[in-house]
Amino acid sequence: MSPDAGGAPVVVGPRTRLGRELVARARARGETVVVIARHDRDVAALEQEYGADPGVRIRLAGDADRDAAARIWVCALGPVQSEDRVDPSAVEQELADLAGLVTPGAHVVLVSTVLVLAPTPDRRYYAGWKSLVEARVRTIATERDAHVSVLHPGRLVDRNAQKSLSDFVHTPYPKLAGLVEACNSTGPLVRTVGLDARMWLLFRGARVASVALTGRPGRAD
């Protein structure tokens, strides 16, 4: 990696919709950006997408230079969709690869899900894994004197040319990308993102409060 990429943001999960948004925004500002590929298939896909752009540096996980990790934006780690089944060894490898990027003073921004905070029975497997990933990322950062911010969004949507109710209730990808970037200037934080996410927590909290006050078990969902 060339010296001018030393302060470049690093995107883990660059093939996600959020990852692509972060890369596009960084390049629009004229920043070099490092994108991390999980395997050779990712390398091929990223080269097809960004190979003509000298400002996008593609690095295979585990091979990225440590001096390029002042800002690490984690868009995907562990299960991506709630229906994904998880290979524990694969998650351990992803965490090890992330650990190799984190240097003292770095700021890791992890995009998780609001389901971690209040899962339903059918999402507990997914939420449990995401919660474990969050805990492990915090441990990695602590061991390396780095910082962590965690964003818990609800549903993510593409922004239409015309503003819609969906843009108000859910979180457009460009808005979430802006919040990811802002974490590096505001300092470590934990934030629930989106009106739908906040409403979800209120609803789940009300159900728990109802059970606590009435003593009735209620429905399992």
Side-chain angles (χ1 to χ4, degrees), residues 13-198:
R15 297 186 63 195
T16 62
R17 178 66 182 79
L18 176 61
R20 289 187 174 95
E21 183 70 31
L22 285 165
V23 172
R25 290 167 66 96
R27 294 301 297 128
R29 293 191 298 270
E31 284 193 276
T32 297
V33 58
V34 178
V35 296
I36 305 300
R38 295 170 299 168
H39 40 59
D40 291 339
R41 295 190 306 279
D42 270 359
V43 171
L46 291 167
E47 286 179 344
Q48 184 173 8
E49 188 166 1
Y50 299 116
D53 186 346
V56 177
R57 310 302 173 89
I58 302 167
R59 293 293 178 266
L60 190 63
D63 293 340
D65 293 349
R66 292 173 62 87
D67 63 349
R71 293 169 288 164
I72 304 171
W73 299 333
V74 183
C75 306
L77 206 167
V80 177
Q81 303 294 335
S82 59
E83 63 273 13
D84 288 352
R85 305 309 292 177
V86 180
D87 177 355
S89 63
V91 176
E92 286 296 332
Q93 186 59 58
E94 289 182 61
L95 288 165
D97 292 336
L98 176 66
L101 293 169
V102 180
T103 57
H107 192 149
V108 181
V109 182
L110 173 66
V111 179
S112 186
T113 170
V114 70
L115 294 175
V116 166
L117 305 177
T120 53
D122 61 325
R123 304 290 183 88
R124 282 176 183 156
Y125 178 85
Y126 171 72
W129 270 105
K130 299 300 277 189
S131 182
L132 176 62
V133 164
E134 180 179 329
R136 292 289 300 279
V137 169
R138 290 187 179 281
T139 298
I140 289 168
T142 298
E143 291 174 345
R144 289 159 178 76
D145 294 322
H147 310 288
V148 177
S149 290
V150 182
L151 301 178
H152 294 115
R155 182 181 176 189
L156 303 177
V157 296
D158 285 306
R159 175 175 285 162
N160 298 320
Q162 297 288 330
K163 280 282 188 179
S164 67
L165 180 62
S166 178
D167 288 336
F168 178 71
V169 175
H170 306 302
T171 303
Y173 285 101
K175 179 178 180 179
L176 182 58
L179 293 174
V180 169
E181 295 166 339
C183 287
N184 293 122
S185 57
T186 59
L189 55 80
V190 177
R191 178 172 176 178
T192 302
V193 180
L195 178 60
D196 59 341
R198 293 190 292 275

